């Protein structure tokens, strides 16, 4: 008798679970992490009398297209050298076992070098820079602190702030858009977060420690 009662209770429990499962899944928050097409997770800075250096740790879809459709991402280190005065005829950058000649951008007046990596540096990274006929051995230091939000935290703050925008980009229950999360450094740390569905882009500037929204912009693509 006890075994029959136990079986009946188990059967009822299983039936209730099966009936409630669709409702539970429907109430679960949508995970936007797989809709991210670009993450700038860290920045490393260094200065000399001749130039300032920024090393960015970037995970970005390839090929990159601001079309609302995320693709598999690759990890890349992007280094920018901004002249403090006279611009040399060439510049080279070396870190770890990677390096080579940097390209001059006439549009921005700086030198740029990028390299695919299997792992990003942490805290500090030694870099050798050939600046015309000079050579520098410098250490670039991360801007991240113990209180800096992670890209995941910044994404969460963006999703919370733009619930209506993200909901409007759903088609037949599926989200049709891609999201960018970029760490910025000015007087302090910030996050640029944006979503696009290929026709418009909504971007927020977030406080890098609290996630508070500091500015909002909407652009038609």
């Amino acid at each position: 008798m006890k075994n029959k009662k136990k079986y009946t209770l188990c059967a009822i429990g299983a039936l209730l679970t099966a009936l409630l499962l669709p409702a539970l899944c429907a109430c679960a928050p949508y995970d936007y992490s797989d809709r991210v097409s670009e993450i700038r997770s860290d920045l490393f800075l260094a200065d000399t009398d001749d130039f300032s250096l920024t090393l960015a740790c970037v995970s970005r879809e390839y090929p990159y297209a601001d079309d609302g459709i995320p693709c598999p991402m690759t990890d890349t280190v992007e280094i920018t050298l901004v002249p403090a005065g006279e611009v040399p005829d060439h510049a080279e950058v070396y870190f770890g076992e990677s390096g080579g000649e940097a390209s001059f951008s006439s549009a921005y007046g700086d030198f740029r070098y990028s390299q695919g990596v299997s792992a990003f540096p942490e805290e500090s990274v030694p870099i050798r820079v050939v600046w015309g006929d000079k050579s520098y051995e410098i250490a670039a230091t991360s801007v991240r602190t113990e209180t800096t939000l992670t890209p995941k935290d910044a994404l969460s703050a963006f999703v919370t702030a733009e619930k209506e925008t993200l909901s409007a980009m759903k088609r037949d229950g599926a989200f049709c858009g891609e999201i960018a999360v970029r760490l910025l450094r000015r007087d302090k740390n910030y996050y640029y977060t944006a979503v696009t569905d290929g026709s418009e882009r909504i971007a927020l500037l977030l406080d890098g420690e609290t996630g508070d929204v500091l500015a909002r912009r909407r652009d038609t693509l």
Side-chain angles (χ1 to χ4, degrees):
M1 189 69 176
K2 287 184 178 181
N3 289 337
K4 184 176 181 181
K5 185 177 181 181
K6 181 178 180 181
Y7 175 80
T8 302
L9 291 174
C10 289
I12 293 174
L15 179 60
L16 289 174
T17 300
L19 291 173
L20 289 173
L21 186 59
L24 292 173
C25 292
C27 295
Y30 189 92
D31 183 8
Y32 289 93
S33 59
D34 63 346
R35 306 301 297 182
V36 177
S37 61
E38 180 181 0
I39 300 174
R40 183 192 293 157
S41 55
D42 206 347
L43 293 168
F44 293 75
L45 307 180
D47 288 294
T48 71
D49 292 337
D50 287 325
F51 60 86
S52 61
L53 178 149
T54 300
L55 182 151
C57 299
V58 180
S59 300
R60 182 185 292 124
E61 69 174 359
Y62 183 82
Y64 184 78
D66 207 4
D67 55 7
I69 305 173
C71 296
M73 297 194 293
T74 59
D75 293 339
T76 305
V77 163
E78 298 179 347
I79 297 176
T80 304
L81 302 169
V82 179
E86 185 177 349
V87 179
D89 57 358
H90 77 286
E92 300 171 27
V93 180
Y94 299 92
F95 64 101
E97 298 180 356
S98 303
E101 185 168 357
S103 300
F104 181 73
S105 171
S106 57
Y108 295 95
D110 56 25
F111 289 90
R112 303 185 177 196
Y113 176 82
S114 63
Q115 175 72 48
V117 294
S118 58
F120 290 130
E122 297 180 6
E123 297 184 358
S124 180
V125 55
I127 301 174
R128 184 168 70 89
V129 176
V130 176
W131 189 254
D133 58 358
K134 298 180 181 179
S135 182
Y136 289 87
E137 299 282 347
I138 58 178
T141 305
S142 171
V143 301
R144 299 190 63 86
T145 69
E146 294 180 354
T147 58
T148 303
L149 295 178
T150 65
K152 182 178 180 180
D153 292 334
L155 173 62
S156 179
F158 176 76
V159 169
T160 299
E162 292 295 327
K163 286 182 179 179
E164 293 184 4
T165 298
L166 298 174
S167 180
M169 291 184 176
K170 289 184 179 180
R171 305 290 183 271
D172 298 324
F175 177 69
C176 298
E178 61 180 327
I179 299 172
V181 180
R182 303 172 189 160
L183 180 64
L184 303 177
R185 178 71 182 184
R186 297 296 183 266
D187 57 316
K188 56 180 288 186
N189 290 339
Y190 300 91
Y191 270 100
Y192 167 90
T193 53
V195 62
T196 178
D197 61 358
S199 61
E200 68 171 352
R201 181 191 299 107
I202 306 297
L204 300 183
L205 180 65
L206 305 178
D207 185 289
E209 296 184 352
T210 67
D212 293 339
V213 178
L214 304 177
R216 185 179 191 270
R217 177 171 175 171
R218 177 182 180 274
D219 293 307
T220 301
L221 303 179

